[in-house]
C-alpha cells in the first residue's frame, strides 16, 4: 500500500496545479526576487534557504520511505517542482504540474517506492496529515 509520505510528495504537484490555475499566479516569489535583485546577497540567501527547505522536506519523506539515494532523489523532485513552475509561466498551462507529477511518479517507482496506479494522491485522513 502506498504510504502517506508518497502521497505527500505527489500531492505537492497537485497543489502546484491548483496554484497554476489561479489568475494571479506569477511564479516563485523567491526566484523572481533573485531575478530582479540578483546582486543582493541577502535576497539570494533567503531564496536558497527556501529552496533548500523544500528539498530537505522531500529528502526527509524519502528517508522515511527507505529510499537509498534520498539526497539525489530529493534534488530531482525539487527540480521537477521548479521546472513545472517555469513551464507554467512560459506556457500558461497548469498541466505542466501534471507532467511533473508523472515524472516524479516514475522516479519514485524506480527508487522502490510503492505509488498508487496513475500516481493518484487520495487525501489522507486528518489524523494522517503531515505538517510541512
Amino acid at each position: 500500500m502506498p504510504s502517506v509520505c508518497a502521497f505527500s510528495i505527489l500531492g505537492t504537484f497537485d497543489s502546484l496545479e491548483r496554484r497554476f490555475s489561479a489568475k494571479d499566479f506569477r511564479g516563485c516569489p523567491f526566484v523572481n526576487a533573485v531575478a530582479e535583485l540578483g546582486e543582493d546577497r541577502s535576497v539570494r540567501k533567503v531564496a536558497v534557504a527556501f529552496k533548500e527547505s523544500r528539498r530537505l522536506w522531500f529528502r526527509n519523506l524519502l528517508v522515511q520511505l527507505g529510499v537509498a539515494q534520498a539526497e539525489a532523489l530529493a534534488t530531482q523532485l525539487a527540480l521537477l517542482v521548479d521546472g513545472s513552475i517555469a513551464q507554467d509561466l512560459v506556457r500558461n498551462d497548469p498541466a505542466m504540474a501534471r507532467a511533473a507529477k508523472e515524472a516524479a511518479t516514475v522516479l519514485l517507482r524506480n527508487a522502490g517506492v510503492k505509488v498508487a496506479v496513475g500516481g493518484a494522491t487520495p487525501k489522507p485522513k486528518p489524523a494522517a496529515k503531515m505538517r510541512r
Side-chain angles (χ1 to χ4, degrees):
M1 168 176 240
S3 75
V4 172
C5 293
F7 291 145
S8 294
I9 291 168
L10 294 176
T12 298
F13 298 96
D14 295 329
S15 176
L16 284 172
E17 186 171 4
R18 286 188 298 275
R19 287 178 48 214
F20 294 173
S21 297
K23 297 287 186 213
D24 62 347
F25 182 72
R26 299 287 181 260
C28 175
F30 297 96
V31 170
N32 295 342
V34 169
E36 291 294 322
L37 307 166
E39 298 299 318
D40 185 329
R41 289 182 189 212
S42 61
V43 170
R44 187 173 299 276
K45 184 178 178 180
V46 170
V48 168
F50 173 78
K51 294 297 186 176
E52 183 64 3
S53 71
R54 176 179 291 156
R55 193 191 70 77
L56 292 175
W57 180 76
F58 281 140
R59 187 204 60 199
N60 292 340
L61 292 174
L62 294 165
V63 166
Q64 290 177 47
L65 289 166
V67 171
Q69 300 295 323
E71 285 286 339
L73 184 50
T75 298
Q76 293 166 353
L77 292 169
L79 288 169
L80 287 173
V81 167
D82 288 336
S84 68
I85 292 169
Q87 284 296 306
D88 174 66
L89 283 174
V90 171
R91 298 171 182 262
N92 193 26
D93 184 358
M96 295 298 103
R98 258 180 280 137
K101 180 181 176 181
E102 290 169 10
T105 299
V106 170
L107 290 171
L108 289 169
R109 285 185 178 141
N110 286 345
V113 176
K114 292 181 182 178
V115 178
V117 175
T121 51
K123 293 182 181 174
K125 295 175 185 168
K129 283 187 180 175
M130 298 187 68
R131 293 179 57 151
R132 287 189 180 186

